[in-house]
Amino acid sequence: MKQKRTALSPEEQKLFGDLMPEELEEVLDSGLHRRHFLKLMSLATAGLLASHLIGAEQLFARAADIDDIQDLIPGAIENGVNLSFNVNSKATKVLVDSRMTLLDTLRERIGLTGSKKGCDHGQCGACTVIVDGNRVLSCLTLAATCEGKSVITIEGLAKGNELNPMQAAFLKHDGFQCGYCTPGQICSAVALMKEAKEGQASFVTKDIRAQQQGILLTDEEISERMSGNICRCGAYPNIVAAIKEAQTGKSVEQNWLFVG
């Protein structure tokens, strides 16, 4: 079986030239044969074709200027938008698909893998980051909506070798076990300090009409406000103690329960 072709497009010539250079001249002369197609599919089965086709995607994961990327692979990203924002106090420019989430942009485009993809449905909180001072679920946030905004991830909380007080409190109180949810827990807790300082009410606030400033968080308040961050290891008492100590600056005694 043979399909006559008058000419191959530049993209098709490049594909055959990269993957089947020994067949390129024959394909150009006599057209595409069935055996050419089968050989191409065998390469796809071996993963070589897939690697070739996603090469453009992998290139964008490296730190490169938008202009350089567009010159190298024009039109490689469908519905691409140029995004400019601050990530961990650093001006960042990246080309993304307009449908790409902030979480995937941070992990796949910028290389900040601290924010974790847990459920990818906004239910576990492992992907929590801070956008303009407020905690958001990055798996449900379109990267394009962050144009001109400030994004803080777990990598941006410490100042050099000096940990953020919340990070230090989590370490002191062993507020983690496997550690997978910890970046989201800490980012959520840091933003929680801002909410408490501004007097923002929660579901368990007794009088939401009262003008409150600088709410001192109780165990109940912390548990309610952190309910969107799930710890499957069950380190919740330790997390509550860490947040209380970070807010008050005073040592919090931990009541340990040993089960024999």
Side-chain angles (χ1 to χ4, degrees):
M1 180 180 179
K2 176 181 175 181
Q3 284 186 329
K4 282 288 185 180
R5 297 286 303 275
T6 56
L8 293 179
S9 69
E11 292 79 8
E12 291 169 329
Q13 291 187 38
K14 185 178 187 307
L15 178 63
F16 276 97
D18 289 345
L19 298 177
M20 300 165 55
E22 69 281 358
E23 309 283 357
L24 179 58
E25 185 174 350
E26 181 182 349
V27 171
L28 291 174
D29 290 341
S30 60
L32 183 65
H33 291 252
R34 182 173 180 271
R35 60 184 177 83
H36 296 142
F37 175 78
L38 292 176
K39 186 174 182 179
L40 199 61
M41 291 303 98
S42 68
L43 292 175
T45 304
L48 298 179
L49 179 59
S51 299
H52 178 80
L53 294 178
I54 66 173
E57 281 292 304
Q58 293 174 338
L59 175 64
F60 284 104
R62 300 203 300 263
D65 292 336
I66 292 174
D67 293 338
D68 294 339
I69 293 174
Q70 290 174 331
D71 290 341
L72 288 171
I73 310 178
I77 288 188
E78 186 179 0
N79 303 313
V81 294
N82 295 332
L83 176 63
S84 298
F85 59 157
N86 287 327
V87 180
N88 296 332
S89 302
K90 179 182 178 182
T92 304
K93 293 183 178 181
V94 65
L95 178 64
V96 298
D97 188 300
S98 60
R99 300 159 295 184
M100 194 171 196
T101 65
L102 176 59
L103 176 60
D104 287 339
T105 300
L106 292 170
R107 291 181 57 85
E108 307 299 335
R109 293 288 185 264
I110 304 176
L112 296 174
T113 57
S115 304
K116 298 296 186 267
K117 181 177 285 192
C119 64
D120 210 24
H121 287 79
Q123 296 175 346
C124 71
C127 68
T128 304
V129 298
I130 304 171
V131 178
D132 283 351
N134 301 309
R135 47 183 171 164
V136 304
L137 297 168
S138 60
C139 76
L140 298 184
T141 303
L142 288 176
T145 65
C146 296
E147 173 69 26
K149 296 182 179 180
S150 171
V151 177
I152 302 296
T153 70
I154 189 66
E155 292 92 342
L157 291 179
K159 295 181 179 178
N161 293 326
E162 181 183 352
L163 293 178
N164 181 281
M166 190 64 70
Q167 291 174 303
F170 264 69
L171 284 172
K172 176 182 176 181
H173 288 277
D174 197 21
F176 54 90
Q177 290 185 34
C178 77
Y180 193 86
C181 73
T182 308
Q185 296 274 4
I186 292 177
C187 284
S188 186
V190 169
L192 174 59
M193 296 297 98
K194 174 177 176 288
E195 297 172 8
K197 184 177 181 180
E198 294 173 350
Q200 296 184 27
S202 75
F203 181 77
V204 297
T205 302
K206 292 181 173 55
D207 186 1
I208 62 173
R209 295 180 179 84
Q211 296 294 322
Q212 302 185 64
Q213 292 295 326
I215 297 175
L216 187 61
L217 297 172
T218 63
D219 289 6
E220 185 182 21
E221 281 278 4
I222 294 173
S223 297
E224 167 59 28
R225 292 171 186 264
M226 291 291 292
S227 59
N229 292 83
I230 296 174
C231 174
R232 290 180 172 85
C233 298
Y236 296 115
N238 313 52
I239 292 171
V240 170
I243 294 174
K244 287 183 70 174
E245 183 160 322
Q247 188 194 32
T248 63
K250 300 178 181 179
S251 180
V252 174
E253 293 296 328
Q254 180 77 38
N255 293 321
W256 297 96
L257 176 63
F258 293 94
V259 179

